[in-house]
Amino acid sequence: MSDIWYQFKKNKIALFGLFMTTAFIIAAIVAPLLAPYDPYKMSGAESLAGPSMAHWLGTDQFGRDIWSRIIYGTRISLKVGIISVGISLVVGTLIGVVAAYYGKWVDSVLSRLTDVMFSFPDILLALVIMAILGPSLTNLMIAIGIVYTPIFARIARGAVLTIKNALFIEAAKSMGISNVKIMWKHILPNSLAPLIVQVTLSLAFAILAEAALSFLGLGASPDTPSWGIMLSEGKNWMEQAWWIAVFPGIAITLAVFSFNVMGDGLRDALDPKLKNESS
Amino acid sequence: MSEYIMEVNDLKTHFHTKTGVVKAVDGVNFKVKKGEILGIVGESGCGKSVTSQSIMRLVGSKSSEHVSGEVRYHGEDLLLKTEREMEKIRGKDISMVFQDPMTSLNPAYNVGTQIAEMPEIHEKKPKKAAWKRAVEMLTKVGIPSSEKRAHQYPHQYSGGMRQRGVIAMSLACDPDLIIADEPTTALDVTIQAQVLDLLRKLRDDTGTAIMMITHDLGVVAELCDRVAVMYAGKIVEEGTIEDIFDRPKHPYTKGLLNSVPRPGRRERLQPIEGQPPNLQNLPQGCRFQDRCPFVMDKCLAQQPELLPAESEQHTVACWLEEEGQPDGDRGTRKNRQPEEAL
Amino acid sequence: MISYIIKRLLISIPVLFGISILAFFLVRLVPGDTVTAMLGNNYTPERAEALRAKYGLDESVLTQYVLWLKNVLQGDFGYSHFTNTPVLQAILIRLPITIELAVLSVVIAVILAIPLGTISALKRNSKFDYGASFAGMLGISIPNFWLGTLMILFFSLYAGWFPSGGFVGLYESVWGNLRSMILPAIALGTAVGAVAMRMTRSSMLEVTNQDYIKMARAKGVSKRRMIMRHALKNALVPVVTVLGIQTGYLLGGSVVVEQIFGLPGVGQLSLQAITNRDYALLQGTILFIASAFVIINLIVDIIYGFLDPQIRY
């Protein structure tokens, strides 16, 4: 563990990612303290005001404070990210482990299913699922969760397959330990490293997907302070008020960037083979 | 014109690392005669591969790599050449055969193309003529149905065939000197013998000199005319094959000879005890001092020079030469038990 | 080679079959009724019944799927009430735009990615390498819809160099067509290029450590030739794979980018199919896009076979 931290720490940009993601999480928790205004409060008199001392990042067409909305948007992005990746992780890992462990027809069916799901571009699949479920934040999380399930299934399956035939599993089997127990106690801990990396990277994907779907109007309800919704509104007012379209985009990019570099750093720190290559 | 095509004088290759300077090659001198096979023997890590790569200037381009001394090839110092000039010499005048034939051929091109590249770049041959040469070379190194084989990719060749392919490549421009860096180490014993046979036959036919780098005294005995024994970045003894095998002078050479089985001798093998010194932290004095059964005070203080013993061409770097030989025949060691015969 | 291609083709068939199942049943789960949407104000129960019978919507779902698949295999994807044309025709009219957009994006991505990735690898740990790595990470992280919006803001609204949207056909004006396509292609290609660049870098680093590269230098090959001929062909094998996968994402991204730039392509059409509850059209576009992904990866596999001779069997 300390070895992993030592490796991770050497990578300055990954450290920046860790710092920023922590900052985003804190911002989400203490949003009311950081936001000077109610993110929903409209004010006709102040609509489309540029950045100023009163409104650091300006206001939108309804006079809502953009900085406050971005801060509250952190909550939405992280919530969608964490819950949808949680869904993918649990469901995907379960599918992958079962497929690899039982093999034969179970594996064939589940693997074909993931192949088919992989053939759908992620955004398109999420769009169709959103069309089925109807637009709402909860449904958005379910849709994104379903879309990224196959990745976890594939990783878990691969990881299990490589160690399934390892000697220590044979040994556990020969001692009469039950299948479920073997999976839980021996196989899962060994598949953990690639899963952790994928979780971090998927958080970035999920934040991006949430923004994209909200941008297309198939996400949360239009008054929600979601970064994607803010952007899609901002686009219509771009000529008069560039700030509406620019600042939420910076927030999305920064959040996605942070999770990505952190994931990259984790991968390098967790994979001893790559570690040697990059030193 | 001297009879030597290459003279290496005081070659030093030092690697500057975070933890210190690694003196991989530290003042090496030797000469290669036209058409001879010179063996360079030593344990792994003694600097023999780095020597060959320094001659070819394959090391020395990075800021951490420091190569000094002289590598005179037909009188001209290769270390002073520009990279451009070196490119013209590499492959054409001096070519190389590496240890692992599995990885030294490019998997993306067929073998013929890779051989044909040599006459294409060095002799500006048109594609067709170059390909013809490639097929000829494959035939020459004993690859059957070479026309067909030339079209095949490295992964379709066996290990021995790949090494033949690499040798064909190294010969394609009729070089003066081939540096073969452990060319048989990665091969099966039977294939090893075939490749050694091939190398000797090619030397006899073309008059190409070969610098044979190996840790295997068997290979040396089979193939070489002269031998240089390397230890911890220096040459400790050099001479004809008879000098080295029948009249070894340096305790390390003797130790090496005693640690390999030889036909006709029924003594127990005697490995050299201990490890070679750390190249980052070399002892003052002789580098073999820690492992030498005859170590003297002088050995700890001062490094011996490579000086002629017996004859002009048999040189050795050992204080014993000045002091006179110790009693007993070769390989005398403190812990030897003479009665113990098989 | 031929047997390899046939083998790859055969592997694709069950996947394509799975796609058809998923495309059909997913769309059938979308709430709302096509017939109601089609009739609009002219809705009466009798007319609705008649239409349902006409399109076989009164049959069981399974029968409907079999019927649909049979028709699709004969080139009949049904009728789109939104475009008022057969689905296939609606898709085929818009397909060239999406193909052009995708090809242009990949071309831009490849032109940038391979040289930058190669130089990064060769100048490893230099300022250039760090800069390129940072730019690559940023390229992956920046949402294409925001990048598109920013480009419209700067290059169209402020600078006025490009139109802010709309499409000019290739036959109307080649220059106009390029002008209308270049910003969307950059927006879409950035992420692909960034991923490909990172892959080129790491793959190049691995290849240049190989013995055959040392061998090439020992042969007297110039540095330039060593990189261009000996290293790059080997290094490109994983890059091509990544590009194939990325092209799939690119098709999804086209939904968003076509929407922003008002390009009437297949991506925008699928979005319109969703908002208008046009089942047949949605099934058609999904089937098309997903099949395109499978076919692209099939092509990638074949290119792979050419790049890496060890693959052939």
Side-chain angles (χ1 to χ4, degrees), chain B residues 250-266:
Chain B
H250 198 283
Y252 176 64
T253 314
K254 293 177 184 173
L256 265 187
L257 288 167
N258 275 340
S259 55
V260 287
R262 292 216 289 165
R265 299 209 170 264
R266 310 189 66 210

Side-chain angles (χ1 to χ4, degrees), chain A residues 120 122 235 245 257 264 277, chain C residues 124 141 146 198 249 260 286:
Chain A
F120 288 84
D122 44 2
K235 189 178 175 283
F257 182 85
D264 246 30
E277 258 169 41
Chain C
R124 183 181 184 185
S141 307
W146 186 53
R198 286 159 56 87
Y249 287 108
I260 300 172
I286 292 175

Side-chain angles (χ1 to χ4, degrees), chain B residues 153-259:
Chain B
Y153 289 86
H155 72 272
Q156 292 161 305
Y157 276 47
S158 67
M161 278 176 64
R162 285 188 208 187
Q163 199 60 300
R164 283 169 194 266
V166 175
I167 291 169
M169 190 151 77
S170 68
L171 277 172
C173 289
D174 213 358
D176 281 349
L177 174 64
I178 295 176
I179 301 176
D181 189 353
E182 307 255 9
T184 56
T185 307
L187 303 174
D188 288 344
V189 184
T190 47
I191 311 290
Q192 273 188 16
Q194 291 175 14
V195 169
L196 292 179
D197 260 3
L198 173 68
L199 283 172
R200 192 186 13 242
K201 192 173 146 280
L202 291 171
R203 192 274 307 260
D204 295 346
D205 292 352
T206 60
T208 302
I210 298 175
M211 208 173 118
M212 184 76 191
I213 291 167
T214 181
H215 67 273
D216 186 343
L217 282 171
V219 168
V220 173
E222 183 115 337
L223 191 68
C224 298
D225 305 319
R226 286 196 310 125
V227 191
V229 181
M230 238 181 127
Y231 184 77
K234 273 189 161 314
I235 287 178
V236 293
E237 185 165 5
E238 189 190 332
T240 64
I241 189 105
E242 294 81 17
D243 288 338
I244 300 296
F245 278 80
D246 299 340
R247 299 177 291 278
K249 296 284 179 198
H250 198 283
Y252 176 64
T253 314
K254 293 177 184 173
L256 265 187
L257 288 167
N258 275 340
S259 55

Side-chain angles (χ1 to χ4, degrees), chain A residues 13 115-125 127-129 131-132 151 208 211-212 215-216 218 231 235 238-239 242 245-246 249-250 252-253 256-257 260-261 264 267 277-279, chain C residues 15 18-19 22-23 26 29-31 124 134 137-138 140-143 145-146 149-150 152-153 157-158 198 248-249 251-252 255-256 259-260 270-271 274 277 282 286 289-290 293-294:
Chain A
I13 193 139
D115 282 352
V116 169
M117 282 181 76
F118 261 122
S119 311
F120 288 84
D122 44 2
I123 292 290
L124 190 68
L125 189 57
L127 273 177
V128 177
I129 298 172
I132 296 168
I151 299 180
L208 214 50
F215 182 83
L216 292 172
L218 280 155
L231 257 185
K235 189 178 175 283
M238 216 154 47
E239 266 172 287
W242 55 267
V246 169
I250 294 177
I252 300 171
T253 309
V256 175
F257 182 85
N260 271 335
V261 292
D264 246 30
R267 173 169 37 211
E277 258 169 41
S278 62
S279 65
Chain C
V15 176
I19 287 170
L22 208 59
L26 270 184
L29 288 173
V30 176
R124 183 181 184 185
F134 183 81
M137 217 24 162
L138 203 62
I140 293 172
S141 307
I142 198 165
F145 50 93
W146 186 53
T149 310
L150 278 186
I152 292 175
L153 186 65
L157 297 181
Y158 290 166
R198 286 159 56 87
Y249 287 108
L251 292 169
V255 177
V256 187
Q259 180 69 12
I260 300 172
S270 65
L271 205 58
I274 289 175
R277 303 255 174 265
L282 188 55
I286 292 175
I289 293 176
F293 180 75
V294 174

Side-chain angles (χ1 to χ4, degrees), chain A residues 123-166:
Chain A
I123 292 290
L124 190 68
L125 189 57
L127 273 177
V128 177
I129 298 172
M130 281 309 284
I132 296 168
L133 301 174
S136 85
L137 209 56
T138 315
N139 292 344
L140 192 60
M141 295 187 276
I142 296 172
I144 296 173
I146 295 173
V147 169
Y148 293 119
T149 296
I151 299 180
F152 287 96
R154 208 171 259 195
I155 290 174
R157 178 177 176 275
V160 174
L161 277 184
T162 50
I163 52 172
K164 187 181 162 187
N165 300 319

Side-chain angles (χ1 to χ4, degrees), chain C residues 108-262:
Chain C
I108 291 173
V110 167
I111 287 176
L112 287 175
I114 291 175
L116 289 181
T118 306
I119 298 170
S120 274
L122 297 176
K123 299 190 169 193
R124 183 181 184 185
N125 293 339
S126 65
K127 277 192 180 131
F128 181 93
D129 183 25
Y130 290 133
S133 289
F134 183 81
M137 217 24 162
L138 203 62
I140 293 172
S141 307
I142 198 165
N144 52 21
F145 50 93
W146 186 53
L147 186 60
T149 310
L150 278 186
M151 284 195 295
I152 292 175
L153 186 65
F154 287 110
F155 300 127
S156 307
L157 297 181
Y158 290 166
W161 295 338
F162 297 96
S164 64
F167 175 71
V168 180
L170 194 58
Y171 299 109
E172 288 169 58
S173 152
V174 175
W175 175 236
N177 172 269
L178 211 59
R179 261 166 51 105
S180 68
M181 285 304 232
I182 199 85
L183 292 185
I186 293 172
L188 199 52
T190 300
V192 182
V195 174
M197 185 188 83
R198 286 159 56 87
M199 195 69 223
T200 308
R201 178 183 179 274
S202 62
S203 162
M204 199 70 184
L205 276 180
E206 202 181 314
V207 166
T208 46
N209 270 331
Q210 298 291 320
D211 280 358
Y212 54 80
I213 295 301
K214 205 164 71 180
M215 186 76 213
R217 275 194 77 197
K219 275 167 87 175
V221 165
S222 68
K223 194 149 192 203
R224 189 189 158 79
R225 190 180 164 99
M226 181 185 92
I227 294 156
M228 301 300 281
R229 245 183 92 84
H230 289 265
L232 210 52
K233 196 176 168 194
N234 287 293
L236 282 186
V237 175
V239 177
V240 168
T241 315
V242 158
L243 273 176
I245 296 165
Q246 284 301 308
T247 311
Y249 287 108
L250 202 132
L251 292 169
S254 72
V255 177
V256 187
V257 170
E258 284 174 13
Q259 180 69 12
I260 300 172
F261 287 91

Side-chain angles (χ1 to χ4, degrees), chain B residues 53 56 83 87 90-91 96 98 103-109 113-114 117-118 121-122 153 155 169, chain C residues 210-212 214-215 217-223 225 228-231 233-234 307-310 312:
Chain B
Q53 293 185 21
M56 285 293 260
E83 183 62 23
E87 277 164 15
R90 286 188 200 125
M96 269 190 101
F98 287 105
T103 54
S104 50
L105 287 168
N106 192 328
Y109 296 98
T113 307
Q114 296 186 51
E117 189 178 17
M118 298 283 272
I121 55 180
H122 290 303
Y153 289 86
H155 72 272
M169 190 151 77
Chain C
Q210 298 291 320
D211 280 358
Y212 54 80
K214 205 164 71 180
M215 186 76 213
R217 275 194 77 197
K219 275 167 87 175
V221 165
S222 68
K223 194 149 192 203
R225 190 180 164 99
M228 301 300 281
R229 245 183 92 84
H230 289 265
K233 196 176 168 194
N234 287 293
L307 280 177
D308 184 358
Q310 295 179 46
R312 288 178 201 174

